[in-house]
Amino acid sequence: MNDLDSLIVKVQNHNSDADFSLIRKAYEFAMIAHAGQKRYSGEPVIIHPLAVANILADYHLGSVSIAAGLLHDVVEDSNVSLSELEREFGREIAGLVEGVTKISQIKLRGSSDEEFVENLRKMLLAMAKDLRVILVKLADRLHNMQTLQYLPLEKQFKNAKETLEVYGPLAERLGMGEIKGQLEDLAFPYVFPQDYQWVINYSKPHYRKAEEFLKKSTRVIYKELAKEGIRAKITSRPKHLYSLWQKLLRPEINRDISRVYDLVAMRILVETVRDCYAALGIIHSHWKPVPNQGISDFIAQPKPNGYRSLHTKVFSLDERILEIQIRTFEMHEEAENGIAAHWFYANEKNKSKVNQSRRDEGFFVPGNKLAWVKQLVSWQKEVVGSQEFMEALKFDALAHRIFVFSPKGDVYDLPQGATPVDFAYAIHSSLGNETQAAIINGKMVALDYKLRSGDLVKIINKEGGRPSEKWLRFVVTQQARRHIARHCSARV
Ligand code: MN
């Protein structure tokens, strides 16, 4: 079976009425666009978009996202233009590819933490119009991290660091625990090589013991659940190395692995929420919960990123402490794949109610979940605590702001209707004053052009240039208005 066929089979397994001809067409298009190009590993470039598409298929995303994954590098890395892509594949797919291309241009690490968080926030907001852009970007980063060993040393470090600082947290906020763990573990050895070695050596025997112990405990629990007629699937999850290291550094753990109870946690998957609580009761009547360590009910009160599960710690065999997580199969899918899972369940459950294109849209969130909006809000609360932002969201003011990029990749947010002149003044008053012309997404435009979210704006200035009074007819920001008026009145 060739690469394309195995991708198609994978998609088929979850979604038999996916648009397979679209996937084929995207694959062939990417194949031609990247023909002759080689990766650092010496392999043909096409293996990369293909790997990205496979990751997206693993998330059970739809054919549009998978096609976008196949095409995500053609604009940046080959001579295909966006308009050509749009002609071939339509606005939706071209828009996704455009979004992914733009994220790569954003300078995520500013000079200060504040700037960084701010850029990150704006990036999210700009992209939140279609979250699939971020899913494609995360899949892209995952495959690049999996093949990081082929890159030059300084790039290895830089990309790995960015992964730990940006993409890991981003995946976490989107509730995508599995990809977060993978990204961090891939980056760990490049950023902290010595600590990585230490954790590996120190934890290895403990992991092995914990797994044996878990096997024994699993048999006991299967039996107890079966007695009460609860059908369950019990799995285990070895803690990701990077997250183990983070935990070991906590003062209360103080590098003592015997205090880490979830080195290998037990996961009990059941059919319904009712079964979750029933299973918890059965376990507690068999093994006593550890006092004060708390039972966490993230079903009644989900974590800000949408995570739902029951957690408990019990004294199990030989009085050993065991951490158990209980959740439904659906919650499990969500905990692993977060936002991506919402599309999956939307597809599965609402087959009759929602048509395919609507389901495949980035906007679509099943039922009244709107999980990612809640996530954005809670994240925002956590990292910036900006009252203003909360108000903005509340009044749907997001619709009245646009986010544009400088050629260096900095993000600027401006009111709707803003023009290149407003943008220039937002960067610096002298740049505003000296504005001569503007280039948007590579094309020269008039100075009263209305900027749109995602535009890449370049200002052409002339040293010693002065603002024109005419600009007052179209600028919308107070900042621009003030500077222009001051100059013009000074001239009179
Ligand atoms: Mn890529």
Side-chain angles (χ1 to χ4, degrees), residues 260-479:
V260 178
Y261 302 122
D262 64 342
L263 194 60
V264 182
M266 176 185 288
R267 279 181 183 155
I268 304 180
L269 309 182
V270 293
E271 313 258 332
T272 62
V273 171
R274 185 188 288 245
D275 284 353
C276 291
Y277 290 102
L280 184 71
I282 291 164
I283 288 161
H284 283 174
S285 64
H286 193 73
W287 285 329
K288 290 235 168 332
V290 179
N292 304 324
Q293 288 279 341
I295 301 152
S296 307
D297 185 348
F298 297 119
I299 293 179
Q301 267 178 317
K303 285 190 186 179
N305 67 5
Y307 177 82
R308 290 181 300 159
S309 209
L310 298 175
H311 288 194
T312 184
K313 289 195 187 82
V314 295
F315 294 108
S316 73
L317 300 171
D318 312 324
E319 296 295 293
R320 240 187 102 143
I321 294 176
L322 170 68
E323 181 171 315
I324 303 179
Q325 306 170 351
I326 308 168
R327 50 178 87 146
T328 65
F329 288 98
E330 178 177 347
M331 290 172 196
H332 180 62
E333 169 83 21
E334 279 184 18
E336 300 278 294
N337 298 333
I339 284 241
H342 291 296
W343 274 286
F344 173 55
Y345 276 96
N347 278 334
E348 291 300 296
K349 290 194 176 153
N350 302 323
K351 267 201 164 114
S352 53
K353 287 181 217 146
V354 192
N355 67 44
Q356 177 63 42
S357 71
R358 181 70 188 140
R359 264 186 272 137
D360 221 5
E361 255 174 54
F363 267 92
F364 179 65
V365 183
N368 53 4
K369 272 186 181 163
L370 284 173
W372 65 267
V373 176
K374 283 189 213 142
Q375 284 153 11
L376 273 179
V377 173
S378 68
W379 187 11
Q380 182 58 29
K381 241 192 300 194
E382 242 171 83
V383 296
V384 200
S386 147
Q387 191 59 39
E388 199 185 81
F389 175 81
M390 297 298 289
E391 293 299 319
L393 253 193
K394 235 185 274 165
F395 295 113
D396 199 22
L398 270 184
H400 309 298
R401 303 295 290 183
I402 54 163
F403 301 89
V404 296
F405 303 96
S406 78
K408 278 190 287 175
D410 292 318
V411 190
Y412 289 84
D413 88 282
L414 294 165
Q416 196 147 55
T419 64
V421 176
D422 293 291
F423 172 80
Y425 277 106
I427 292 182
H428 200 278
S429 58
S430 66
L431 182 66
N433 290 337
E434 294 174 353
T435 296
Q436 293 292 308
I439 294 172
I440 311 289
N441 307 325
K443 260 190 233 135
M444 184 82 85
V445 297
L447 286 181
D448 64 355
Y449 169 90
K450 302 245 178 288
L451 296 170
R452 288 185 314 182
S453 255
D455 278 346
L456 188 76
V457 190
K458 188 174 186 249
I459 298 295
I460 311 286
N461 62 323
K462 194 174 115 202
E463 227 172 295
R466 313 197 101 234
S468 151
E469 199 167 355
K470 283 187 222 144
W471 294 355
L472 289 171
R473 281 184 229 145
F474 56 76
V475 295
V476 298
T477 53
Q478 280 309 312
Q479 202 176 11

